Amino acid sequence: MKIDRLFLVIAAIYILIGMGLGSYMGMNQDFAHRTTHTHINLLGFVSMTLFALVYRAWPAMQESLLARIHFFAYQAGALIMVTAIFLKYGGHAEEEIYGPMFGGSEMLLLAGMVAFLIGVLRAARD
């Protein structure tokens, strides 16, 4: 499957998870996970949908190694970040557990975004 489609499929999964969490919080009037909900929707749905659209607009861009680096680094970073936020704000773990997850996930997300930026700059130049 091409990168644009992978991003879009995963974005759809994230929005269902985000909506489910939002519904759960609303029904129970327990908003402890509002930060998790926000990050699921932003890192998961919004960002990945935009990535899908950019890769769809510049199809040659998704054939590069940079696109694969972007995809895998961003997927790992987003999943780890959302998990760390869930653990932190839900009181499910101590900082020794989720603390390092934040640093690692931020580095993965940053690496993915650098790869994406380089790809965009190359595509815009052509």
Side-chain angles (χ1 to χ4, degrees):
M1 191 178 288
K2 293 187 175 216
I3 297 289
D4 61 342
R5 294 175 188 187
L6 287 170
F7 268 121
L8 194 56
V9 166
I10 294 170
I13 293 168
Y14 269 103
I15 195 63
L16 285 174
I17 294 168
M19 291 173 73
L21 180 57
S23 294
Y24 173 82
M25 290 187 308
M27 286 186 289
N28 292 290
Q29 293 298 295
D30 177 4
F31 300 100
H33 285 292
R34 67 183 170 272
T35 303
T36 308
H37 167 74
T38 302
H39 280 78
I40 287 170
N41 290 330
L42 181 60
L43 290 176
F45 177 69
V46 175
S47 296
M48 291 191 208
T49 299
L50 291 173
F51 298 148
L53 294 172
V54 170
Y55 283 117
R56 179 62 60 113
W58 285 322
M61 191 175 132
Q62 66 183 309
E63 303 301 326
S64 71
L65 175 61
L66 286 169
R68 288 189 293 283
I69 291 169
H70 173 222
F71 179 79
F72 288 109
Y74 195 88
Q75 294 309 312
L79 183 59
I80 294 168
M81 173 72 74
V82 167
T83 302
I85 292 168
F86 179 84
L87 292 172
K88 178 179 180 176
Y89 291 100
H92 303 293
E94 300 299 320
E95 187 171 356
E96 298 84 37
I97 295 173
Y98 64 76
M101 294 172 72
F102 281 115
S105 63
E106 289 165 2
M107 296 307 296
L108 286 165
L109 289 167
L110 183 61
M113 289 308 297
V114 168
F116 182 66
L117 174 61
I118 294 168
V120 167
L121 292 172
R122 288 182 180 173
R125 179 182 64 197
D126 294 338

